[in-house]
Amino acid sequence: MSRSSSKGSVPRTPRSSLGKRDISSPQPTSQNVRVNVCVRVRPLNALEKRTKQVDAWSYGNDEIFQTYIPWDKDKESKRKSKKKEAMNFRFDKIFLPEENNEDIHDYVGTKVVDFVMKGYHGCLFAYGQTSAGKTHTIHGAKQDPGLIPRSISLIFKYIEDQPDREFVLRVSFFEIYNEIVNDLLAPQSVNLRIREDRKKGVFVQGLKEEVVMGSEQVLALISMGQSHRHVGRTNYNEASSRSHTVFRLVVESAEKKENARSRRSCLNIVDLAGSENAVKAGQSRIKETGYINKSLLTLGHVIMKLSEKRKNSHIPYRNSKLTRILQSSLSGQAAVAIVCCISPSSKNLEETISTLKFASRAKKIKASVKVNYDEQTLLKQYRGEIERLKKEVAELRARAEKEQP
């Protein structure tokens, strides 16, 4: 059921009030989890209604049923055409057109944020064809904030509710455009290289990171980054995302006591460019469309390989920048949630079925996540610097007292 959304740039704390949980109490150091897969159905848009397209699906009990069945014309013979077989799918949750970003975040985002604040890595991403509602799901609007602003708001609520822990948060924001990695927080930094380190894992070299103190600061950085993202007009819509973006937030925390261990977890929120038909996208967008579809095809292949659960099977992470960067998350080191966005239109039936098949494969993937401890955190450096400054102040005071007549 639809609910009115919160207004303003920083959304209110979700109804689930997960921020009240005590994340400083003992937590399991590892957990077996599976990928949380949901489907979001957008309403028919004005063009689809004007061209008499119909809703090709029906929905119930988190199942989606194909109700529009096109004729399958046999070009090889003059036999009568026959209808294709209808398809149906079941997922963890199906969000109908009347449900908003608050509903989606309460079900999807809060679970992943909960993991991240306890020291596990987390990843949220939206998948689907162009104009299916991915960017709206991730970023939202002023009247209906998306997964990123709602997750940020919840994270700072967690911090407020944990006065016995200290935190350092830092963010980065980048895009993958035509297989080139560009820093959206430092637009002069383009064509960045992907590296791998035994401790850090896979990372983007030279990426700017900003230490952040509050929700408003993070949202301002995202707004600035979004202004540098590649977007363009296509035959699908006026402002189509032409790149994949990754918003990354690193959370370091430790109890306020001597020799407390530091936890370091990472939240990735990914807004994928949409899969496209080159003809529908337009001739001027052929090169971009080719890169987008190639990277999404590689992502689909990686998901298929992971869902097969074959031992020693080669997983082609290196075949695209997107899967290379997401390797740690996809390979079972993070709690992952996927929102697959679909158009219900009969004209988009083929693309929608492709998205639902991707979602079905992703649902089979399981992971074993663990709490990440790191003694080389920025938090540790800050603590050391504070102690050094305290010592210097004490020495200066002692010297000043001796010099007094």
Side-chain angles (χ1 to χ4, degrees):
M1 186 173 68
S2 179
R3 303 174 180 88
S4 59
S5 57
S6 54
K7 295 186 178 181
S9 58
V10 181
R12 68 172 177 78
T13 305
R15 294 184 298 270
S16 50
S17 300
L18 286 172
K20 293 181 180 178
R21 292 186 183 179
D22 183 7
I23 61 172
S24 62
S25 59
Q27 305 291 338
T29 57
S30 64
Q31 291 189 52
N32 293 319
V33 296
R34 62 183 181 80
V35 175
N36 186 2
V37 181
C38 304
V39 169
R40 182 178 202 177
V41 186
R42 69 156 171 80
L44 290 170
N45 61 33
L47 175 62
E48 291 163 346
K49 290 177 181 177
R50 192 166 63 248
T51 53
K52 308 296 183 184
Q53 296 173 40
V54 298
D55 191 332
W57 304 87
S58 64
Y59 322 92
N61 298 321
D62 294 320
E63 282 191 85
I64 179 168
F65 306 88
Q66 181 185 348
T67 53
Y68 174 83
I69 307 171
W71 290 98
D72 184 11
K73 294 181 180 179
D74 188 349
K75 294 181 180 178
E76 300 299 319
S77 71
K78 294 182 180 179
R79 289 181 296 173
K80 257 189 171 182
S81 298
K82 60 180 180 179
K83 281 192 173 183
K84 293 181 179 179
E85 188 176 341
M87 306 193 75
N88 68 286
F89 304 85
R90 174 180 285 276
F91 298 103
D92 296 308
K93 184 73 176 173
I94 294 178
F95 296 97
L96 301 181
E98 62 268 21
E99 294 179 277
N100 59 25
N101 285 333
E102 184 177 12
D103 300 307
I104 292 171
H105 184 259
D106 280 359
Y107 186 83
V108 176
T110 54
K111 295 176 183 177
V112 174
V113 169
D114 192 37
F115 270 102
V116 171
M117 298 309 288
K118 290 174 180 174
Y120 304 94
H121 295 318
C123 182
L124 285 163
F125 67 89
Y127 178 94
Q129 74 173 102
T130 291
S131 78
K134 298 180 301 302
T135 298
H136 177 69
T137 299
I138 295 296
H139 293 280
K142 186 176 181 180
Q143 294 77 21
D144 187 21
L147 287 174
I148 288 180
R150 291 182 187 279
S151 295
I152 292 165
S153 179
L154 182 56
I155 284 168
F156 281 101
K157 182 66 171 66
Y158 265 100
I159 293 171
E160 287 176 16
D161 291 339
Q162 301 300 323
D164 296 330
R165 293 187 75 84
E166 51 190 350
F167 293 83
V168 171
L169 272 62
R170 57 185 193 269
V171 302
S172 55
F173 192 27
F174 60 93
E175 72 169 359
I176 305 169
Y177 175 69
N178 289 354
E179 283 298 286
I180 294 172
V181 180
N182 301 321
D183 193 336
L184 294 175
L185 298 185
Q188 71 278 6
S189 298
V190 297
N191 202 12
L192 300 177
R193 304 190 71 175
I194 300 171
R195 299 291 192 186
E196 187 169 7
D197 180 85
R198 211 167 90 179
K199 285 187 177 180
K200 286 172 137 183
V202 178
F203 67 98
V204 178
Q205 187 178 40
L207 194 64
K208 183 178 182 180
E209 286 191 317
E210 290 271 4
V211 174
V212 292
M213 305 296 290
S215 297
E216 292 285 1
Q217 183 187 2
V218 180
L219 295 180
L221 289 169
I222 291 169
S223 178
M224 181 190 75
Q226 280 286 88
S227 69
H228 298 128
R229 183 183 187 179
H230 282 83
V231 296
R233 182 178 180 178
T234 70
N235 293 344
Y236 284 96
N237 52 24
E238 288 291 326
S240 173
S241 301
R242 312 310 300 158
S243 65
H244 311 301
T245 63
V246 180
F247 169 77
R248 178 168 290 177
L249 185 141
V250 176
V251 180
E252 296 177 0
S253 74
E255 290 184 76
K256 294 178 180 178
K257 63 181 183 180
E258 285 290 319
N259 301 318
R261 296 183 74 187
S262 294
R263 297 196 302 231
R264 181 185 178 279
S265 56
C266 182
L267 171 64
N268 289 314
I269 303 183
V270 186
D271 180 14
L272 297 173
S275 57
E276 296 177 333
N277 179 299
V279 175
K280 290 182 182 179
Q283 290 296 314
S284 63
R285 299 290 176 185
I286 285 179
K287 182 181 177 182
E288 290 174 339
T289 300
Y291 278 113
I292 290 168
N293 288 345
K294 182 182 177 183
S295 64
L296 292 174
L297 187 66
T298 302
L299 176 61
H301 193 199
V302 166
I303 294 293
M304 183 183 71
K305 287 282 188 181
L306 291 170
S307 67
E308 289 174 349
K309 303 173 188 174
R310 292 180 184 172
K311 288 185 178 180
N312 303 319
S313 176
H314 172 67
I315 312 294
Y317 294 113
R318 292 177 179 268
N319 286 6
S320 83
K321 299 278 180 72
L322 174 66
T323 49
R324 184 81 175 108
I325 289 168
L326 293 179
Q327 180 174 346
S328 297
S329 297
L330 296 174
S331 62
Q333 298 176 39
V336 178
I338 304 173
V339 181
C340 289
C341 300
I342 65 169
S343 160
S345 164
S346 50
K347 191 172 183 180
N348 291 324
L349 183 64
E350 187 177 333
E351 289 93 339
T352 297
I353 290 175
S354 176
T355 298
L356 295 174
K357 286 181 176 178
F358 171 90
S360 293
R361 288 191 288 269
K363 194 180 167 191
K364 298 176 184 177
I365 300 172
K366 293 182 180 180
S368 179
V369 297
K370 63 179 181 179
V371 175
N372 298 279
Y373 294 100
D374 188 351
E375 299 310 313
Q376 303 300 317
T377 60
L378 197 59
L379 180 60
K380 286 276 187 182
Q381 294 177 35
Y382 283 176
R383 276 180 167 178
E385 185 68 12
I386 290 168
E387 290 303 317
R388 185 184 66 78
L389 291 171
K390 281 181 179 178
K391 189 176 179 180
E392 283 185 11
V393 169
E395 288 174 353
L396 288 170
R397 281 177 179 169
R399 192 183 306 163
E401 287 173 1
K402 284 182 181 179
E403 290 174 356
Q404 285 179 357

